[in-house]
Amino acid sequence: MNKVKLGNQGLIIPNVGLGCMGMTGFEDADMYGKTDEKEAISTIYRSFELGGNFLDTADLYGPFKNEKLIAKAIEGNRGKYIIATKFGWEIDDNEQITWKINGTRDYIKKSVDRSLKNLKTDYIDLYYMHRLDKNVPIEETVAAMSDLVNEGKIGYIGLSEVSSETVKRAHAIHPISAVQSEFSMFERTVEEKGVLKTLNDLGIGFVAYSPLGRGFLSGHIKSINDLPENDFRRGIPRFQEKYFHRNIELVKAIEALAEEKNITSSQLAIAWIISKGIVPIPGTKRRKYVEQNIDAGKIILTENDLAKLESIVPLGTDTGAPYDEFSMGLLDY
Ligand SMILES: NC(=O)c1ccc[n+]([C@@H]2O[C@H](COP(=O)([O-])OP(=O)(O)OC[C@H]3O[C@@H](n4cnc5c(N)ncnc54)[C@H](OP(=O)(O)O)[C@@H]3O)[C@@H](O)[C@H]2O)c1
């Protein structure tokens, strides 16, 4: 697999990561359909065999179930993996999500120790602030994360869904290695808001989460009724009545282009992100998909391919909001 530098602090990762969120349930529901622990662990192994040793998780996923699953999968091989996890959605001592964001020093200290325990490790390679706590200055949050670097508990610092201004303020306190935000052919807010340019100027890496538009760009979802009753995506405007029919037409055009190139539309969506110097972390719980996604890391798109894609989904295309109103309010834009 091709390797890339993520930020300027020394982190080197494969050019396609593995998003693990969908491998475990979330509270009482499954995120993206039925989970299967055995297949999920086999997916992590298969990814590793193919060079895909960059795993993305968060304490929120489960909560904690996802970190524990990863611990199980990588047991005995910790040093061979690069683990990214996140803190910030507040989880209380009864393991309940409070639905508040907490970026205070005390909470960070508690969160990192909990994640280390759940991951059965003594260090986290890349530790992200999952969402900005708008009641705590970013300087305070990053200073606390910086202390974790000095203590050897984490290797590198990342932030998720932050604005250019927040990144600049954070980077002045401690070098930020990565920002992770939603980015795909259906979601280009970070490009529109100038975040990608800021990261480029500061030498900070960008990791694209939900690079397949939460599966929409795979072309496998033909109707909202294809999604299980308790599927997370049913609550997202992009998948709802108003936008679904428009978006599915865009997906069909992307699929047609992928077919011309003898690849899948998921692979085209991943290759398009890589062509921008961005690391996608497609999420899957199946060996078959992880193989295809890693293969996509070898596809080189021509200028002509890229122009055709841009003409299908030009910057600024309105595909609907990526979250419900509550979660949109937690983004830093
Ligand atoms: N920082 C944040 O706030 C944040 C938010 C969301 C996600 N994330 C991270 O980003 C990762 C990826 O995002 P995501 O999982 O939300 O969305 P995604 O990668 O855009 O899409 C995941 C969906 O695509 C399907 N899929 C994956 N590969 C496929 C392929 N080759 N062909 C057809 N379908 C395919 C998966 O199916 P199966 O599940 O059936 O395999 C799943 O339903 C997550 O796992 C998580 O680690 C971070």
Side-chain angles (χ1 to χ4, degrees):
M1 264 187 102
N2 294 332
K3 303 265 175 166
V4 290
K5 233 171 68 168
L6 194 65
N8 283 339
Q9 285 68 54
L11 186 54
I12 310 273
I13 56 165
N15 69 345
V16 180
L18 174 59
C20 297
M21 180 177 74
M23 291 179 178
T24 50
F26 185 73
E27 292 191 314
D28 295 331
D30 290 331
M31 287 292 295
Y32 302 144
K34 209 171 155 6
T35 58
D36 172 346
E37 182 176 294
K38 204 161 156 256
E39 179 63 14
I41 289 178
S42 299
T43 302
I44 293 175
Y45 290 158
R46 187 67 189 129
S47 183
F48 178 74
E49 274 172 3
L50 298 171
N53 66 342
F54 179 44
L55 307 183
D56 190 84
T57 182
D59 57 5
L60 175 73
Y61 308 158
F64 308 136
K65 286 186 211 150
N66 210 261
E67 290 184 332
K68 288 178 184 169
L69 176 95
I70 288 179
K72 203 164 170 183
I74 69 171
E75 200 173 348
N77 286 308
R78 167 66 187 98
K80 296 180 185 157
Y81 284 89
I82 302 162
I83 308 290
T85 191
K86 320 181 189 80
F87 74 90
W89 287 94
E90 193 180 75
I91 304 161
D92 68 19
D93 293 339
N94 298 318
E95 306 201 350
Q96 298 301 307
I97 303 165
T98 67
W99 300 110
K100 289 181 198 134
I101 304 297
N102 194 332
T104 60
R105 176 174 284 276
D106 283 352
Y107 186 70
I108 293 169
K109 278 175 79 170
K110 181 168 152 177
S111 300
V112 78
D113 289 338
R114 211 162 46 180
S115 284
L116 289 169
K117 190 165 157 238
N118 289 331
L119 286 163
K120 293 198 183 152
T121 183
D122 56 4
Y123 71 100
I124 290 160
D125 297 277
L126 174 60
Y127 200 41
Y128 290 105
M129 176 192 80
H130 208 155
R131 288 289 182 275
L132 176 71
D133 181 344
K134 294 178 183 172
N135 298 313
V136 175
I138 185 67
E139 287 79 2
E140 195 177 314
T141 301
V142 173
M145 294 175 84
S146 176
D147 288 349
L148 302 182
V149 175
N150 295 332
E151 289 165 28
K153 289 185 176 178
I154 68 171
Y156 302 95
I157 296 182
L159 307 171
S160 179
E161 293 289 9
V162 285
S163 66
S164 285
E165 198 214 324
T166 300
V167 175
K168 286 182 197 160
R169 285 170 54 191
H171 197 62
I173 302 296
H174 185 106
I176 303 299
S177 296
V179 166
Q180 171 180 136
S181 299
E182 183 160 354
F183 186 76
S184 70
M185 279 186 241
F186 274 6
E187 182 49 58
R188 296 171 73 171
T189 301
V190 286
E191 196 175 351
E192 288 162 354
K193 300 270 183 188
V195 179
L196 293 186
K197 174 162 188 325
T198 302
L199 300 183
N200 205 27
D201 293 347
L202 297 176
I204 299 172
F206 182 67
V207 172
Y209 83 69
S210 302
L212 304 177
R214 299 186 185 263
F216 214 149
L217 291 160
S218 72
H220 293 194
I221 305 164
K222 308 277 185 219
S223 145
I224 187 86
N225 297 323
D226 288 347
L227 303 176
E229 209 46 62
N230 60 358
D231 193 289
F232 172 79
R233 290 166 289 195
R234 283 182 177 262
I236 299 177
R238 187 164 290 160
F239 284 88
Q240 291 166 350
E241 193 62 25
K242 179 165 173 222
Y243 287 98
F244 193 90
H245 301 289
R246 255 160 60 183
N247 291 342
I248 205 77
E249 293 309 314
L250 300 176
V251 172
K252 281 184 196 158
I254 295 165
E255 275 187 296
L257 182 57
E259 216 165 284
E260 271 177 36
K261 295 194 61 69
N262 224 359
I263 58 177
T264 70
S265 58
S266 298
Q267 289 179 315
L268 186 54
I270 291 169
W272 175 79
I273 290 177
I274 293 174
S275 78
K276 293 177 175 288
I278 291 172
V279 179
I281 49 166
T284 182
K285 42 185 153 49
R286 295 167 212 276
R287 280 169 288 178
K288 186 174 104 182
Y289 290 166
V290 87
E291 287 169 0
Q292 293 173 7
N293 297 346
I294 287 177
D295 263 354
K298 297 171 201 139
I299 296 167
I300 310 232
L301 299 176
T302 64
E303 288 299 322
N304 191 29
D305 297 330
L306 296 171
K308 280 186 188 167
L309 271 173
E310 291 288 339
S311 72
I312 297 170
V313 200
L315 189 65
T317 304
D318 180 12
T319 57
Y323 283 109
D324 64 15
E325 224 179 304
F326 170 72
S327 295
M328 286 302 288
L330 296 174
L331 307 179
D332 180 32
Y333 308 111

